[in-house]
Amino acid sequence: MRIPVGRHGPRLSSAWWRGAAALLAGALPALAFPAPALWWSAYGALVPLLLLVRSAGSARRAALDGWLGGTGFMLAVHHWLLPSLSVFIVVLAGLLGLLWAPWGVLVRSAMGGRPSVPRALTAVVVVPSGWLVVELCRSWQGLGGPWGLLGASQWQVPFALRLASVGGVWLVSLLVVAVNTAVALLVVLRPARIAMVSALMVGALLTGAVWMWAPHMREEGRIRIAVVQPGVIENGDARFARGEALTRALAGRHVDLVVWGESSVGQDLAARPDLAARIARLSTEVGADILVNVDARRSDKPGIFKSSVLVGPHGPTGQRYDKMRLVPFGEYIPARSLLGWATSVGKAADEDRRRGTTPVVMTLPDAVRVGPLVCFESAFPDMSRHLVRGGAQLLIAQSSTSSFQDTWAPAQHASLAALRAAETGRPMVHATLTGISAVHGPDGARIGAWLPTSASTSAVYDVPLATGTTLCVRLGDWSVYAALVALAGYCAAEGARALRKPVPGPPAPPSRTARESPARPGR
């Protein structure tokens, strides 16, 4: 008796290798983000995944490749969450990676086989549009928010920042994926090479046109901002005392505002008037208001809030912003009754923080209007855009990444300030407890040096203010809507083409030849 051992062995082995290749190919774009910050690699990092997915033998295989590629990307970009979420990060990455399964089918449909030149040019539009829809879906706060958008990898590239001022980080993502798509087709499709080179040149010309003609913000005045970064100090009282000492040393430096990082005050100031008085004395000594961040149970409301609180020489000014978008698992657990077990395998929140209900624009004594954000709220383009529409002249993000001190997270977080500044045409201060703290001007360019994670210090930045409105603020997420329209048009065209195909009829009965004769009864 012959047992068919290994009958499916080579096929199964090939599937495993293909799956591993998809995971690895999906992870490659993470190298474009800080800390490696190999920004130029983003323009070719997706090519291996695109080539793999387009070669899938079926739509099901393409969906699987897309899922695995998306999972690899999410794991690579968020690997620094491993200490907090433990193995749960693999589960989350796998769930979010499912968003790339339809994208895999789209890639195979638009790029698979030997597409004609018109179809290849269509792929340069619809494949990036599909990627952008994935980014849009996972940007929902309940799914973790817009951390690691592909366009965010270009935070230090001047032409990309100019694009962001027109269409936000979404437009930059579209450009990056379009270049990857054109390069992939250039590699495998000889008849379309001239068309792909032409597409790349058109993209370069359009980017140059944006560089030249997009509105520039007009500088109007300056403001001196001091950032206080105490460093990694576990004890709350000691951390407060260190912030106090660093702030006191700023006396005589003519600052207009002092900014402390997230959770710099661990007690509600209404319940601890002694702490409020100490901050007020600091404000008097320095000659400027102090924006602190309180992480505490409020005395006037139930629950724990994270709040930006402005304190002047006479105490809290009454201007307060309560954080609205909380970090999933870090500050609350989605569907706690179902996922509460995450607290047993990582550092997930034991108690959910409470949310604020509305953004706040604060007014300083010199009438400069400030829009505060807390922690990863700086990752949401709509929040900073809303503050600027409300009159904010300066954006401030108060943050703390002490749980991820030696990972890529601090640099990734600090880089977001450049994008938000470029999108809104307003300078942005990213002030942290433990580094990296950074300041970027209205065009997204860096102002001064970053304060590294090893520093326990303060720094003063001379920040230019600006007037004018960027197209991104004026028009909002128009690039997202354009991508949705392009994708809908492609799907409609594909549906119409499928309907035009002739429906195969029932198979004809086999014809009988002269040699064949009906069987005789009894024979």
Side-chain angles (χ1 to χ4, degrees):
M1 178 179 178
R2 182 182 176 188
I3 302 175
V5 176
R7 180 180 175 185
H8 300 292
R11 184 183 302 174
L12 184 61
S13 174
S14 174
W16 277 105
W17 278 110
R18 185 181 180 94
L23 278 169
L24 180 60
L28 287 177
L31 296 175
F33 293 85
L38 305 176
W39 64 266
W40 44 267
S41 68
Y43 295 94
L46 272 179
V47 170
L49 181 61
L50 288 167
L51 294 178
L52 182 71
V53 176
R54 73 175 292 275
S55 69
S58 66
R60 182 179 178 181
R61 181 70 238 187
L64 180 60
D65 290 342
W67 171 47
L68 291 173
T71 300
F73 178 71
M74 296 305 290
L75 277 174
V77 174
H78 297 86
H79 72 276
W80 44 270
L81 284 170
L82 188 61
S84 292
L85 298 181
S86 187
V87 295
F88 194 59
I89 183 61
V90 179
V91 177
L92 286 177
L95 291 174
L96 290 172
L98 287 171
L99 293 171
W100 274 271
W103 180 78
V105 177
L106 175 67
V107 169
R108 180 178 181 272
S109 170
M111 299 176 59
R114 309 295 295 177
S116 63
V117 170
R119 191 168 185 82
L121 290 172
T122 300
V124 175
V125 175
V126 299
V127 170
S129 298
W131 181 280
L132 198 64
V133 170
V134 174
E135 290 198 334
L136 181 66
C137 291
R138 75 177 183 87
S139 293
W140 179 49
Q141 192 236 328
L143 293 180
W147 193 287
L149 301 180
L150 197 55
S153 66
Q154 306 301 294
W155 64 276
Q156 58 184 325
V157 184
F159 73 79
L161 293 174
R162 292 287 286 157
L163 281 178
S165 74
V166 172
V169 66
W170 313 110
L171 185 58
V172 185
S173 286
L174 282 173
L175 172 69
V176 172
V177 183
V179 170
N180 277 273
T181 305
V183 170
L185 289 170
L186 184 66
V187 169
V188 298
L189 201 61
R190 185 184 297 272
R193 286 180 178 173
I194 294 177
M196 293 302 100
V197 171
S198 300
L200 291 171
M201 291 179 64
V202 168
L205 289 173
L206 289 175
T207 302
V210 169
W211 175 277
M212 293 177 61
W213 291 309
H216 287 268
M217 301 301 100
R218 299 180 302 277
E219 184 175 327
E220 188 174 90
R222 305 182 81 83
I223 184 172
R224 285 174 64 80
I225 304 293
V227 172
V228 172
Q229 181 179 297
V232 181
I233 303 174
E234 297 296 335
N235 181 272
D237 293 337
R239 183 169 60 241
F240 186 93
R242 178 58 178 162
E244 205 173 18
L246 290 170
T247 303
R248 187 169 289 114
L250 295 168
R253 299 193 64 179
H254 307 291
V255 298
D256 299 299
L257 178 67
V258 180
V259 184
W260 289 14
E262 180 188 12
S263 305
S264 49
V265 179
Q267 301 290 329
D268 183 50
L269 294 180
R272 289 291 304 272
D274 57 319
L275 293 182
R278 286 166 66 177
I279 301 172
R281 283 195 295 270
L282 284 176
S283 175
T284 301
E285 293 177 33
V286 175
D289 284 2
I290 302 174
L291 186 67
V292 300
N293 189 271
V294 179
D295 184 0
R297 196 175 302 278
R298 288 184 62 162
S299 57
D300 59 338
K301 291 182 179 180
I304 302 174
F305 288 79
K306 283 193 175 182
S307 308
S308 301
V309 179
L310 191 64
V311 181
H314 304 293
T317 65
Q319 301 183 79
R320 176 188 188 117
Y321 165 67
D322 296 326
K323 185 177 183 181
M324 298 170 61
R325 295 184 182 173
L326 304 178
V327 180
F329 297 96
E331 293 171 339
Y332 80 103
I333 296 183
R336 182 176 283 272
S337 60
L338 179 65
L339 302 176
W341 57 268
T343 59
S344 63
V345 297
K347 299 178 181 178
D350 291 324
E351 178 182 350
D352 291 350
R353 297 296 196 272
R354 300 298 181 93
R355 303 175 190 274
T357 57
T358 183
V360 174
V361 176
M362 301 176 178
T363 303
L364 301 181
D366 57 3
V368 173
R369 306 192 73 195
V370 172
L373 299 166
V374 182
C375 192
F376 96 138
E377 288 182 330
S378 65
F380 291 86
D382 65 302
M383 294 197 73
S384 55
R385 194 167 63 234
H386 186 89
L387 288 170
V388 171
R389 286 174 178 168
Q393 299 167 270
L394 173 69
L395 299 172
I396 295 178
Q398 295 173 295
S399 177
S400 172
T401 51
S402 56
S403 300
F404 316 105
Q405 198 71 356
D406 298 317
T407 70
W408 295 0
Q412 285 184 16
H413 203 176
S415 69
L416 296 174
L419 287 159
R420 302 294 86 84
E423 288 170 343
T424 60
R426 298 294 181 266
M428 184 161 189
V429 175
H430 179 80
T432 73
L433 278 182
T434 60
I436 296 171
S437 296
V439 180
H440 291 265
D443 58 354
R446 185 186 301 184
I447 296 176
W450 282 11
L451 300 184
T453 54
S454 59
S456 174
T457 187
S458 63
V460 177
Y461 299 88
D462 193 27
V463 182
L465 300 176
T467 60
T469 305
T470 64
L471 291 175
C472 179
V473 170
R474 190 180 307 160
L475 302 177
D477 295 327
W478 67 266
S479 50
V480 173
Y481 301 135
L484 290 171
V485 168
L487 203 57
Y490 177 77
C491 292
E494 288 297 291
R497 191 174 71 164
L499 290 175
R500 286 197 300 267
K501 285 184 178 180
V503 179
S511 57
R512 187 175 297 164
T513 63
R515 292 184 177 183
E516 293 177 342
S517 59
R520 296 179 181 177
R523 292 193 61 180

